[in-house]
Amino acid sequence: MLVADDPAKITSNNWDQSIPMTYYEGGHQTNYVFSKKYTYISFAAEQLPNTCEGCEFSGSKKLEFTNANWAGGDLSNTYDLGDGFTAEVNTSIESPSVFVTNYPRASNFNSLSEYRRGGAGTNKMTTKVVLSKAAAATFEIYEIDRRDTKYSDVEVYGICGGSMVSPTLSYVDKASNSSYTIIGNHARANRLTTSYTAKRGRMLVEFEYPVEEIYVVHTYTGSAGAGYKKIGIGSMEFVCPQPLPDPTEDGLIFTKQGPDSILTCEEVNYTFRITNTNCAAYPVNFSDVLPAGMKWVSGSLSVNDTAVASSVINSYGGSNTLSISNLIVSGASMLTFRASAVFDMGAPTGAYSNRANITYESVIDPGTNVSLQSCDRLTPGCEPTITNATEVTDRPEFLQLSEFRADIDCYKEDKVITVTVKINNPNSFAFSGSDMDISYNEEFSFVSGSLSYTAGSLGTIDTSEAGTIFAEGFTIPSGTSSITFKVKAPQKSALAYLKDADGNNILDEDGEPIVEPLNVSVNFGSASDDICLQTAISSLSGSFEIPYCLSKECVISNRNVTPIIKR
């Protein structure tokens, strides 16, 4: 419904408000308070894709990839998520490209890691998800970045009634920090690199309208080399959307969404949505005070840079209060932002209920401040958001990557480089069944016999693929342990050079091609299906970059300086 205070605004498409309506018993309806003496209204419709039979379950359904339900190297599986709702997942890759041995495989955060090699960048690596009934869906995609001279291009779309549906794609980190750029329904890598779980390489995918099928298609541009490139498909949440609450007299709608149930060892991911039916942008002040026993995770807030360009955000990490002043909601749009919380050690089981709050100056009654509480997105009416927490005994603390570095600051051709990975396990017990995936430039070679572990055996080790070291079945003991290995830089004739997405050399200020820096990343996982153990080890990842030496000699790094680990 289009609303204006002058009929000329209606005829010139310059209305004051655009209010969403709800389809009900063959028609559309909304509740609106006419507060002025004269108000002019009209109606407009936007064509949506073909209709498809929607789901009817309450709450949400979670599709998670674990070692128990996806063996390494499997290409498909069907998941029964309850209430007659199923999801069939299929992966494929166009020849002559192939999957690396034992991929696709379950990985960190219950994701599906897909690793390709050979062939050309135009060969499609496709993940297809077919639902028994159409549902709205949310998930993340991991490690969208550049590797060597290969730039990932990830396309995401859905199908409803035979028509294509484009999702809403958004950055998990700030857009300026991210290793990719969102263009339509594509995410295209820029020159930055990332580790598997680092926020800079993760992208959120949201299908706000129900879809029957979901497609994630990976290709890459640039020089193929040996064709190694990886992405991850995160665990998926499916919901049957409820009608939005009615807008306030000032034209705002505010919802909050969280998980139905969770273990106290898991992170709680909250999604907030503010809909502004006004055509002009609307500034609001946001706050969310968590229930006792919960704290916000530092750095977990994900919000559009433009919306917080002039905002003040409190130091929320480790506290129960998240506040954002002067949050800008663009006109005739919905602002979606997210933040994560954790439970205190020893937090009790039970229902954790709360609402977020926004305050703003009324446009109907200027000078009057109005407060609006959030309504749960998955519950009819306007209820608080409730998450039922199950207490965990012997809850593990998070493992930490306390050191990840090389023994030099820059490299030259034929140079042998030693890499050190230091792990801190603050728990009193060991983590068995661990795995480690190390990636580095494929033009570098692994020095045979150089891989060592202070805690003993690294289990089964595979260094057969260029630019990768994979170990599985080893134990991470309590306390500190270290892993070291060596790689050798190529001869001068085999050096790789930085290229743009079109495959052209990138030149320095003197017009000379720039030698590719050495990029090294590490990612740890667990074969255990214990979600608490997975959570404790899942953030154990990092990456670093070493440039090519422009001087004649390599400069030895200062061992007393703690290196920076890219998270």
Side-chain angles (χ1 to χ4, degrees), residues 507-563:
L507 307 180
D508 63 18
E509 57 186 12
D510 297 321
E512 296 296 324
I514 302 173
V515 177
E516 177 80 25
L518 169 62
N519 298 291
V520 186
S521 65
V522 65
N523 186 67
F524 289 85
S526 173
S528 172
D529 284 323
D530 184 321
I531 188 63
C532 292
L533 295 180
Q534 287 186 14
T535 302
I537 200 174
S538 61
S539 59
L540 200 60
S541 68
S543 64
F544 66 80
E545 184 175 278
I546 301 174
Y548 179 73
C549 296
L550 297 179
S551 61
K552 292 184 178 181
E553 298 294 334
C554 296
V555 180
I556 302 299
S557 62
N558 184 344
R559 309 301 199 279
N560 297 319
V561 177
T562 301

Short mmCIF file of all heavy atoms in Angstrom, two decimals, residues 507-563:
data_model
loop_
_atom_site.label_atom_id
_atom_site.label_comp_id
_atom_site.label_asym_id
_atom_site.label_seq_id
_atom_site.Cartn_x
_atom_site.Cartn_y
_atom_site.Cartn_z
N LEU A 507 51.42 -4.89 -12.32
CA LEU A 507 52.73 -4.24 -12.38
C LEU A 507 52.95 -3.33 -11.18
O LEU A 507 52.00 -2.76 -10.62
CB LEU A 507 52.86 -3.44 -13.67
CG LEU A 507 52.57 -4.20 -14.98
CD1 LEU A 507 52.73 -3.27 -16.17
CD2 LEU A 507 53.47 -5.43 -15.11
N ASP A 508 54.23 -3.18 -10.78
CA ASP A 508 54.55 -2.24 -9.72
C ASP A 508 54.69 -0.84 -10.30
O ASP A 508 54.45 -0.61 -11.49
CB ASP A 508 55.81 -2.68 -8.96
CG ASP A 508 57.06 -2.71 -9.86
OD1 ASP A 508 57.05 -2.09 -10.93
OD2 ASP A 508 58.04 -3.36 -9.45
N GLU A 509 55.11 0.12 -9.47
CA GLU A 509 55.18 1.51 -9.91
C GLU A 509 56.24 1.73 -10.98
O GLU A 509 56.20 2.73 -11.69
CB GLU A 509 55.46 2.42 -8.71
CG GLU A 509 56.73 2.07 -7.96
CD GLU A 509 56.92 2.89 -6.70
OE1 GLU A 509 55.96 3.56 -6.28
OE2 GLU A 509 58.03 2.84 -6.15
N ASP A 510 57.18 0.76 -11.12
CA ASP A 510 58.20 0.86 -12.16
C ASP A 510 57.82 0.09 -13.43
O ASP A 510 58.62 -0.02 -14.35
CB ASP A 510 59.54 0.33 -11.64
CG ASP A 510 60.07 1.16 -10.48
OD1 ASP A 510 59.93 2.39 -10.54
OD2 ASP A 510 60.63 0.57 -9.54
N GLY A 511 56.60 -0.45 -13.43
CA GLY A 511 56.13 -1.17 -14.60
C GLY A 511 56.60 -2.61 -14.65
O GLY A 511 56.47 -3.28 -15.69
N GLU A 512 57.17 -3.13 -13.55
CA GLU A 512 57.65 -4.51 -13.51
C GLU A 512 56.58 -5.42 -12.90
O GLU A 512 55.85 -5.02 -11.98
CB GLU A 512 58.93 -4.60 -12.66
CG GLU A 512 60.11 -3.83 -13.22
CD GLU A 512 60.56 -4.37 -14.56
OE1 GLU A 512 60.50 -5.62 -14.74
OE2 GLU A 512 60.97 -3.57 -15.42
N PRO A 513 56.48 -6.66 -13.40
CA PRO A 513 55.49 -7.59 -12.81
C PRO A 513 55.85 -7.92 -11.37
O PRO A 513 57.03 -8.00 -11.00
CB PRO A 513 55.58 -8.82 -13.71
CG PRO A 513 56.92 -8.73 -14.36
CD PRO A 513 57.23 -7.27 -14.52
N ILE A 514 54.82 -8.09 -10.53
CA ILE A 514 55.02 -8.34 -9.11
C ILE A 514 54.99 -9.84 -8.85
O ILE A 514 54.07 -10.55 -9.24
CB ILE A 514 53.91 -7.66 -8.27
CG1 ILE A 514 53.90 -6.15 -8.53
CG2 ILE A 514 54.08 -7.95 -6.79
CD1 ILE A 514 52.73 -5.44 -7.88
N VAL A 515 56.04 -10.34 -8.18
CA VAL A 515 56.13 -11.76 -7.85
C VAL A 515 55.06 -12.10 -6.80
O VAL A 515 54.84 -11.35 -5.85
CB VAL A 515 57.53 -12.14 -7.34
CG1 VAL A 515 57.57 -13.61 -6.93
CG2 VAL A 515 58.58 -11.85 -8.39
N GLU A 516 54.42 -13.23 -7.00
CA GLU A 516 53.38 -13.69 -6.09
C GLU A 516 53.94 -13.90 -4.68
O GLU A 516 54.96 -14.56 -4.50
CB GLU A 516 52.83 -15.03 -6.60
CG GLU A 516 51.78 -15.66 -5.73
CD GLU A 516 50.42 -15.05 -5.92
OE1 GLU A 516 50.17 -14.49 -7.00
OE2 GLU A 516 49.62 -15.12 -4.99
N PRO A 517 53.31 -13.34 -3.64
CA PRO A 517 53.75 -13.63 -2.28
C PRO A 517 53.43 -15.08 -1.92
O PRO A 517 52.55 -15.71 -2.52
CB PRO A 517 52.95 -12.65 -1.42
CG PRO A 517 51.74 -12.34 -2.23
CD PRO A 517 52.16 -12.40 -3.67
N LEU A 518 54.13 -15.61 -0.93
CA LEU A 518 53.82 -16.93 -0.41
C LEU A 518 52.65 -16.81 0.56
O LEU A 518 52.73 -16.07 1.54
CB LEU A 518 55.03 -17.53 0.30
CG LEU A 518 54.78 -18.80 1.13
CD1 LEU A 518 54.30 -19.95 0.25
CD2 LEU A 518 56.04 -19.20 1.91
N ASN A 519 51.56 -17.51 0.26
CA ASN A 519 50.39 -17.53 1.13
C ASN A 519 50.30 -18.90 1.80
O ASN A 519 50.29 -19.93 1.12
CB ASN A 519 49.11 -17.28 0.34
CG ASN A 519 49.11 -15.93 -0.31
OD1 ASN A 519 49.04 -14.92 0.36
ND2 ASN A 519 49.19 -15.90 -1.65
N VAL A 520 50.25 -18.92 3.11
CA VAL A 520 50.14 -20.17 3.87
C VAL A 520 48.92 -20.07 4.79
O VAL A 520 48.74 -19.07 5.49
CB VAL A 520 51.40 -20.44 4.71
CG1 VAL A 520 51.31 -21.83 5.35
CG2 VAL A 520 52.65 -20.33 3.87
N SER A 521 48.08 -21.10 4.79
CA SER A 521 46.93 -21.14 5.68
C SER A 521 46.84 -22.51 6.34
O SER A 521 47.29 -23.52 5.78
CB SER A 521 45.63 -20.83 4.93
OG SER A 521 45.35 -21.83 3.97
N VAL A 522 46.27 -22.54 7.53
CA VAL A 522 46.10 -23.80 8.25
C VAL A 522 44.69 -23.84 8.83
O VAL A 522 44.14 -22.80 9.22
CB VAL A 522 47.15 -23.96 9.37
CG1 VAL A 522 46.97 -22.90 10.45
CG2 VAL A 522 47.09 -25.35 9.98
N ASN A 523 44.12 -25.02 8.88
CA ASN A 523 42.77 -25.20 9.37
C ASN A 523 42.70 -26.55 10.08
O ASN A 523 43.11 -27.57 9.54
CB ASN A 523 41.79 -25.16 8.20
CG ASN A 523 40.35 -25.19 8.66
OD1 ASN A 523 39.89 -24.26 9.27
ND2 ASN A 523 39.65 -26.28 8.37
N PHE A 524 42.22 -26.56 11.33
CA PHE A 524 42.09 -27.79 12.10
C PHE A 524 40.62 -28.19 12.22
O PHE A 524 39.73 -27.34 12.28
CB PHE A 524 42.68 -27.62 13.50
CG PHE A 524 44.18 -27.53 13.52
CD1 PHE A 524 44.81 -26.31 13.31
CD2 PHE A 524 44.96 -28.65 13.75
CE1 PHE A 524 46.20 -26.21 13.33
CE2 PHE A 524 46.35 -28.56 13.76
CZ PHE A 524 46.97 -27.34 13.56
N GLY A 525 40.39 -29.48 12.29
CA GLY A 525 39.04 -30.00 12.47
C GLY A 525 39.06 -31.22 13.36
O GLY A 525 40.12 -31.64 13.86
N SER A 526 37.88 -31.82 13.57
CA SER A 526 37.77 -32.97 14.43
C SER A 526 36.86 -34.00 13.80
O SER A 526 35.82 -33.67 13.21
CB SER A 526 37.21 -32.57 15.81
OG SER A 526 36.94 -33.71 16.60
N ALA A 527 37.25 -35.29 13.91
CA ALA A 527 36.41 -36.37 13.40
C ALA A 527 35.25 -36.66 14.34
O ALA A 527 34.34 -37.42 13.98
CB ALA A 527 37.26 -37.63 13.21
N SER A 528 35.27 -36.06 15.52
CA SER A 528 34.21 -36.30 16.50
C SER A 528 32.91 -35.64 16.05
O SER A 528 32.92 -34.56 15.45
CB SER A 528 34.61 -35.74 17.86
OG SER A 528 33.53 -35.79 18.78
N ASP A 529 31.79 -36.30 16.34
CA ASP A 529 30.49 -35.70 16.08
C ASP A 529 29.91 -35.03 17.32
O ASP A 529 28.74 -34.64 17.34
CB ASP A 529 29.51 -36.76 15.54
CG ASP A 529 29.78 -37.10 14.08
OD1 ASP A 529 30.14 -36.18 13.33
OD2 ASP A 529 29.66 -38.28 13.70
N ASP A 530 30.74 -34.90 18.36
CA ASP A 530 30.36 -34.15 19.55
C ASP A 530 30.42 -32.67 19.20
O ASP A 530 31.48 -32.11 18.94
CB ASP A 530 31.33 -34.49 20.70
CG ASP A 530 30.94 -33.81 22.01
OD1 ASP A 530 30.49 -32.64 21.97
OD2 ASP A 530 31.10 -34.44 23.06
N ILE A 531 29.26 -32.02 19.19
CA ILE A 531 29.19 -30.63 18.73
C ILE A 531 30.03 -29.72 19.61
O ILE A 531 30.60 -28.73 19.14
CB ILE A 531 27.73 -30.14 18.68
CG1 ILE A 531 27.64 -28.76 18.02
CG2 ILE A 531 27.10 -30.13 20.06
CD1 ILE A 531 28.08 -28.74 16.60
N CYS A 532 30.18 -30.05 20.90
CA CYS A 532 30.98 -29.20 21.79
C CYS A 532 32.46 -29.29 21.45
O CYS A 532 33.17 -28.28 21.46
CB CYS A 532 30.74 -29.59 23.24
SG CYS A 532 29.07 -29.23 23.83
N LEU A 533 32.93 -30.51 21.14
CA LEU A 533 34.33 -30.65 20.74
C LEU A 533 34.57 -29.97 19.39
O LEU A 533 35.61 -29.33 19.18
CB LEU A 533 34.70 -32.13 20.67
CG LEU A 533 34.67 -32.91 21.99
CD1 LEU A 533 35.07 -34.36 21.77
CD2 LEU A 533 35.60 -32.26 23.02
N GLN A 534 33.61 -30.11 18.47
CA GLN A 534 33.74 -29.44 17.17
C GLN A 534 33.82 -27.93 17.35
O GLN A 534 34.63 -27.26 16.71
CB GLN A 534 32.55 -29.80 16.29
CG GLN A 534 32.57 -31.20 15.74
CD GLN A 534 31.43 -31.43 14.76
OE1 GLN A 534 30.79 -30.49 14.29
NE2 GLN A 534 31.17 -32.68 14.44
N THR A 535 32.96 -27.40 18.20
CA THR A 535 32.93 -25.95 18.42
C THR A 535 34.24 -25.46 19.03
O THR A 535 34.77 -24.42 18.64
CB THR A 535 31.76 -25.57 19.34
OG1 THR A 535 30.53 -26.01 18.74
CG2 THR A 535 31.70 -24.07 19.56
N ALA A 536 34.79 -26.24 19.96
CA ALA A 536 36.02 -25.83 20.65
C ALA A 536 37.22 -25.78 19.71
O ALA A 536 38.13 -24.98 19.89
CB ALA A 536 36.32 -26.78 21.81
N ILE A 537 37.22 -26.63 18.67
CA ILE A 537 38.37 -26.70 17.76
C ILE A 537 38.13 -25.94 16.45
O ILE A 537 39.06 -25.64 15.71
CB ILE A 537 38.72 -28.18 17.45
CG1 ILE A 537 40.17 -28.30 16.94
CG2 ILE A 537 37.73 -28.78 16.47
CD1 ILE A 537 40.62 -29.74 16.75
N SER A 538 36.87 -25.59 16.18
CA SER A 538 36.50 -25.08 14.85
C SER A 538 37.10 -23.72 14.51
O SER A 538 37.24 -23.38 13.34
CB SER A 538 34.98 -25.02 14.71
OG SER A 538 34.43 -24.15 15.68
N SER A 539 37.44 -22.92 15.52
CA SER A 539 38.02 -21.61 15.23
C SER A 539 39.55 -21.66 15.15
O SER A 539 40.21 -20.63 15.07
CB SER A 539 37.60 -20.60 16.29
OG SER A 539 38.01 -21.02 17.58
N LEU A 540 40.11 -22.88 15.18
CA LEU A 540 41.56 -23.05 15.14
C LEU A 540 42.04 -22.98 13.69
O LEU A 540 42.24 -23.99 13.03
CB LEU A 540 41.92 -24.39 15.77
CG LEU A 540 43.36 -24.60 16.28
CD1 LEU A 540 43.69 -23.58 17.36
CD2 LEU A 540 43.54 -26.00 16.80
N SER A 541 42.19 -21.77 13.20
CA SER A 541 42.65 -21.58 11.81
C SER A 541 43.35 -20.23 11.70
O SER A 541 43.19 -19.35 12.55
CB SER A 541 41.46 -21.62 10.84
OG SER A 541 40.62 -20.51 11.01
N GLY A 542 44.15 -20.09 10.65
CA GLY A 542 44.85 -18.82 10.44
C GLY A 542 45.57 -18.81 9.10
O GLY A 542 45.62 -19.82 8.39
N SER A 543 46.09 -17.66 8.73
CA SER A 543 46.84 -17.54 7.48
C SER A 543 47.84 -16.40 7.60
O SER A 543 47.68 -15.51 8.43
CB SER A 543 45.88 -17.28 6.30
OG SER A 543 45.22 -16.04 6.45
N PHE A 544 48.90 -16.46 6.79
CA PHE A 544 49.84 -15.35 6.71
C PHE A 544 50.41 -15.29 5.30
O PHE A 544 50.24 -16.22 4.50
CB PHE A 544 50.96 -15.46 7.76
CG PHE A 544 51.90 -16.62 7.58
CD1 PHE A 544 52.93 -16.57 6.66
CD2 PHE A 544 51.76 -17.76 8.34
CE1 PHE A 544 53.81 -17.63 6.49
CE2 PHE A 544 52.63 -18.84 8.20
CZ PHE A 544 53.65 -18.77 7.25
N GLU A 545 51.07 -14.18 5.01
CA GLU A 545 51.60 -13.92 3.67
C GLU A 545 53.03 -13.41 3.78
O GLU A 545 53.33 -12.58 4.64
CB GLU A 545 50.71 -12.90 2.96
CG GLU A 545 51.07 -12.61 1.54
CD GLU A 545 50.06 -11.67 0.90
OE1 GLU A 545 49.00 -12.14 0.44
OE2 GLU A 545 50.32 -10.46 0.87
N ILE A 546 53.92 -13.93 2.95
CA ILE A 546 55.32 -13.48 2.92
C ILE A 546 55.64 -12.97 1.52
O ILE A 546 55.48 -13.71 0.54
CB ILE A 546 56.29 -14.64 3.26
CG1 ILE A 546 55.99 -15.19 4.65
CG2 ILE A 546 57.73 -14.16 3.20
CD1 ILE A 546 56.82 -16.41 4.98
N PRO A 547 56.09 -11.72 1.38
CA PRO A 547 56.39 -11.18 0.05
C PRO A 547 57.71 -11.71 -0.49
O PRO A 547 58.55 -12.24 0.23
CB PRO A 547 56.46 -9.68 0.30
CG PRO A 547 56.93 -9.57 1.72
CD PRO A 547 56.30 -10.72 2.45
N TYR A 548 57.88 -11.54 -1.76
CA TYR A 548 59.16 -11.84 -2.43
C TYR A 548 60.16 -10.75 -2.07
O TYR A 548 59.82 -9.56 -2.02
CB TYR A 548 58.94 -11.90 -3.94
CG TYR A 548 60.18 -12.19 -4.75
CD1 TYR A 548 60.75 -13.45 -4.76
CD2 TYR A 548 60.77 -11.18 -5.52
CE1 TYR A 548 61.90 -13.71 -5.51
CE2 TYR A 548 61.90 -11.43 -6.28
CZ TYR A 548 62.46 -12.69 -6.27
OH TYR A 548 63.58 -12.95 -7.02
N CYS A 549 61.40 -11.13 -1.80
CA CYS A 549 62.42 -10.15 -1.42
C CYS A 549 62.83 -9.31 -2.63
O CYS A 549 63.20 -9.86 -3.68
CB CYS A 549 63.66 -10.85 -0.87
SG CYS A 549 63.40 -11.77 0.65
N LEU A 550 62.79 -8.02 -2.46
CA LEU A 550 63.25 -7.13 -3.52
C LEU A 550 64.74 -6.85 -3.40
O LEU A 550 65.38 -6.45 -4.37
CB LEU A 550 62.45 -5.82 -3.47
CG LEU A 550 60.95 -5.96 -3.72
CD1 LEU A 550 60.28 -4.60 -3.63
CD2 LEU A 550 60.68 -6.60 -5.07
N SER A 551 65.30 -7.05 -2.19
CA SER A 551 66.75 -6.88 -2.00
C SER A 551 67.44 -8.19 -2.34
O SER A 551 66.81 -9.20 -2.63
CB SER A 551 67.02 -6.47 -0.56
OG SER A 551 66.56 -7.47 0.33
N LYS A 552 68.76 -8.21 -2.26
CA LYS A 552 69.52 -9.39 -2.65
C LYS A 552 69.47 -10.49 -1.61
O LYS A 552 69.66 -11.66 -1.92
CB LYS A 552 70.99 -9.00 -2.93
CG LYS A 552 71.16 -8.12 -4.16
CD LYS A 552 72.62 -7.86 -4.43
CE LYS A 552 72.80 -7.02 -5.69
NZ LYS A 552 74.23 -6.77 -5.98
N GLU A 553 69.26 -10.14 -0.36
CA GLU A 553 69.28 -11.14 0.69
C GLU A 553 67.95 -11.14 1.43
O GLU A 553 67.28 -10.12 1.56
CB GLU A 553 70.40 -10.86 1.70
CG GLU A 553 71.79 -10.91 1.08
CD GLU A 553 72.17 -12.30 0.61
OE1 GLU A 553 71.63 -13.28 1.18
OE2 GLU A 553 72.99 -12.41 -0.31
N CYS A 554 67.55 -12.30 1.92
CA CYS A 554 66.37 -12.40 2.76
C CYS A 554 66.69 -11.80 4.13
O CYS A 554 67.80 -11.93 4.63
CB CYS A 554 65.95 -13.85 2.95
SG CYS A 554 65.42 -14.64 1.42
N VAL A 555 65.72 -11.17 4.74
CA VAL A 555 65.89 -10.60 6.07
C VAL A 555 65.32 -11.58 7.08
O VAL A 555 64.17 -11.98 6.99
CB VAL A 555 65.15 -9.25 6.18
CG1 VAL A 555 65.33 -8.67 7.57
CG2 VAL A 555 65.68 -8.29 5.13
N ILE A 556 66.14 -12.00 8.05
CA ILE A 556 65.68 -12.94 9.05
C ILE A 556 64.73 -12.22 10.01
O ILE A 556 65.02 -11.12 10.48
CB ILE A 556 66.86 -13.53 9.83
CG1 ILE A 556 67.83 -14.20 8.85
CG2 ILE A 556 66.38 -14.53 10.89
CD1 ILE A 556 67.22 -15.35 8.07
N SER A 557 63.60 -12.83 10.30
CA SER A 557 62.62 -12.20 11.16
C SER A 557 63.10 -12.19 12.61
O SER A 557 63.90 -13.02 13.03
CB SER A 557 61.28 -12.94 11.08
OG SER A 557 61.43 -14.26 11.50
N ASN A 558 62.59 -11.27 13.39
CA ASN A 558 62.90 -11.17 14.81
C ASN A 558 62.05 -12.20 15.56
O ASN A 558 60.85 -12.08 15.64
CB ASN A 558 62.59 -9.75 15.31
CG ASN A 558 62.99 -9.56 16.76
OD1 ASN A 558 63.21 -10.51 17.49
ND2 ASN A 558 63.07 -8.29 17.16
N ARG A 559 62.67 -13.23 16.10
CA ARG A 559 61.93 -14.30 16.77
C ARG A 559 61.22 -13.81 18.02
O ARG A 559 60.34 -14.49 18.56
CB ARG A 559 62.86 -15.46 17.15
CG ARG A 559 63.75 -15.99 16.05
CD ARG A 559 62.95 -16.50 14.85
NE ARG A 559 63.74 -17.38 14.00
CZ ARG A 559 64.60 -16.95 13.10
NH1 ARG A 559 64.80 -15.66 12.94
NH2 ARG A 559 65.28 -17.80 12.36
N ASN A 560 61.62 -12.64 18.53
CA ASN A 560 61.03 -12.13 19.76
C ASN A 560 59.75 -11.34 19.53
O ASN A 560 59.10 -10.91 20.46
CB ASN A 560 62.04 -11.25 20.52
CG ASN A 560 63.26 -12.04 20.96
OD1 ASN A 560 63.13 -13.17 21.41
ND2 ASN A 560 64.44 -11.44 20.81
N VAL A 561 59.43 -11.11 18.26
CA VAL A 561 58.23 -10.34 17.93
C VAL A 561 57.10 -11.31 17.63
O VAL A 561 57.23 -12.19 16.80
CB VAL A 561 58.47 -9.42 16.71
CG1 VAL A 561 57.18 -8.69 16.36
CG2 VAL A 561 59.58 -8.43 17.01
N THR A 562 56.01 -11.17 18.34
CA THR A 562 54.86 -12.05 18.12
C THR A 562 54.21 -11.72 16.79
O THR A 562 53.85 -10.57 16.53
CB THR A 562 53.83 -11.87 19.24
OG1 THR A 562 54.46 -12.17 20.48
CG2 THR A 562 52.63 -12.81 19.04
N PRO A 563 54.05 -12.70 15.91
CA PRO A 563 53.46 -12.41 14.60
C PRO A 563 51.96 -12.17 14.69
O PRO A 563 51.32 -12.53 15.67
CB PRO A 563 53.74 -13.70 13.82
CG PRO A 563 53.75 -14.76 14.87
CD PRO A 563 54.36 -14.12 16.09
#
